[in-house]
Amino acid sequence: MEYFLTEDQLEIKEIARKIAEEKIKPVRAKYDEENAFPWEIVKVMKQTDLFAVLIPEEYDGISGKVADLTIVTEELSRVCGGISLAFGATGLGIYPIMISGSEELKQKYLPQIAAGNKLAAFALTEANAGSDVGGIETTAAKDGDFYILNGTKQWITNGGEADIYSVFAMTNKAKGARGSSCFVVEKGTPGFGFGKKENKMGIRGSATRELIFDNCRIPKENLIGKEGKGFMIAMKTFDKSRPMVGSQAVGIAQGAFEEAAKYSKERQQFGKPISSFQAIQFMLANMATQIEAARALVMTTARMIDSGAKKYSKESAMCKVFASDVAMKVTTDAVQILGGYGYMKEYPVEKMMRDAKITQIYEGTNQIQKNIIALNLIKKYTK
Ligand SMILES: Cc1cc2nc3c(=O)[nH]c(=O)nc-3n(C[C@H](O)[C@H](O)[C@H](O)COP(=O)(O)OP(=O)(O)OC[C@H]3O[C@@H](n4cnc5c(N)ncnc54)[C@H](O)[C@@H]3O)c2cc1C
């Protein structure tokens, strides 16, 4: 389908595809196997100015547009849904600063991201607070010109590797979700350390780690927005970042589709290529149609956000839930088309199926997305 990309968008798409094909493809299996963080690829992303896509021009970037973030994420994820997160999760990590940060915080941190000198991470989830984000137990106690953070964050993407963390903590526990606030915490701050590194099913070329705050003292200027606005900042961040997860899902699905289509022409059974069987043809037709529908929903949502629309929670949730379900279905079908070979690590589709699963879980599970969609619909049709 024609998405009428601008010259600039075509250029960043081309750069991302080149990095994915030439640099990521040869090493994706190694990173998957080793469950390691791909610093050699981050270096290439920095050299090609890819991180500048995340940041608006006034902070030394080249875009800051959601559509451009999704274009890059899809291309990187088409080859590896895990390695793409060094880029995508950095986008997620800096959104709280971009959305609600003071001018000082923006000037201090955004140019460093644009230059690719530092990665970012978003730290909300805890052992006892996943979908129920109002249940976080990490605290931030005011102490003169400082806040003192205590608590543990779990499953933080880019954890341990990033330098800049948007961290959510309770400043007033009694107020529940309205008592949470968001802070920038830099790696290296005394009292801020890292715990368990997760051994995951998929996206193994990304880091997922615990963050531990033990009397971590940060200046009060690191508060993002106002005290008590943490929940609102988290929700606004997710509204803006869910198309990124949608594009990660579209990319993974596209990669799996291409592998399956190619294989179906090469594999011979009963004296002919399996692509000559209608059962395989219909699977390929369904896969391609679902991918295109998901891409269209992601791109339209991203453009809606970039247009300055004020409300887009519903659309953002719709594109994430739809694209991630498509990724799961398409990658599973790709394994099916490759038969027993699809189940083996010699072919990339089993990895793509493992990578796809997370898109239905993080940045709000698909059940939570449906809650958001339904809530918005019911509100609209209530007299
Ligand atoms: C690899 C990985 C990377 C991650 N990266 C980050 C990160 O960078 N930053 C971060 O902050 N978090 C991150 N997370 C956390 C992720 O966002 C949470 O796992 C997710 O929000 C779900 O929370 P949970 O796992 O605690 O599931 P739970 O909330 O315990 O949910 C369990 C099940 O119950 C369902 N459920 C819960 N509540 C409801 C409800 N009200 N209605 C219907 N169904 C419901 C869920 O859909 C799910 O099926 C990451 C997780 C993983 C696995």
Side-chain angles (χ1 to χ4, degrees), residues 143-283:
D143 180 27
D145 288 343
F146 295 85
Y147 283 94
I148 300 172
L149 269 64
N150 277 292
T152 301
K153 295 288 171 185
Q154 176 173 272
W155 302 339
I156 305 308
T157 306
N158 284 350
E161 313 296 338
D163 283 293
I164 301 165
Y165 295 78
S166 294
V167 179
F168 293 82
M170 283 294 179
T171 37
N172 187 343
K173 250 184 161 167
K175 286 191 172 170
R178 291 217 168 87
S180 74
S181 304
C182 186
F183 302 89
V184 188
V185 185
E186 289 186 48
K187 184 175 175 176
T189 307
F192 175 26
F194 303 104
K196 190 179 168 216
K197 250 185 182 172
E198 301 298 339
N199 187 8
K200 308 186 291 282
M201 170 199 285
I203 55 162
R204 290 167 58 83
S206 72
T208 312
R209 199 157 178 193
E210 241 176 17
L211 315 184
I212 299 166
F213 300 95
D214 180 12
N215 286 320
C216 174
R217 210 174 163 80
I218 55 167
K220 70 175 185 344
E221 291 74 26
N222 284 23
L223 173 69
I224 300 177
K226 293 192 175 129
E227 252 192 44
K229 296 292 180 194
F231 183 75
M232 190 205 72
I233 293 170
M235 293 306 114
K236 281 191 171 176
T237 295
F238 286 142
D239 283 350
K240 209 167 163 178
S241 69
R242 279 175 183 138
M244 183 275 285
V245 179
S247 64
Q248 182 193 19
V250 170
I252 295 170
Q254 179 67 34
F257 168 78
E258 289 175 22
E259 293 293 336
K262 210 165 56 191
Y263 183 87
S264 74
K265 286 170 77 178
E266 290 160 4
R267 176 70 171 170
Q268 301 256 342
Q269 288 293 282
F270 302 96
K272 33 181 152 164
I274 59 167
S275 61
S276 66
F277 303 132
Q278 197 181 51
I280 300 291
Q281 291 172 359
F282 279 14
M283 270 170 103

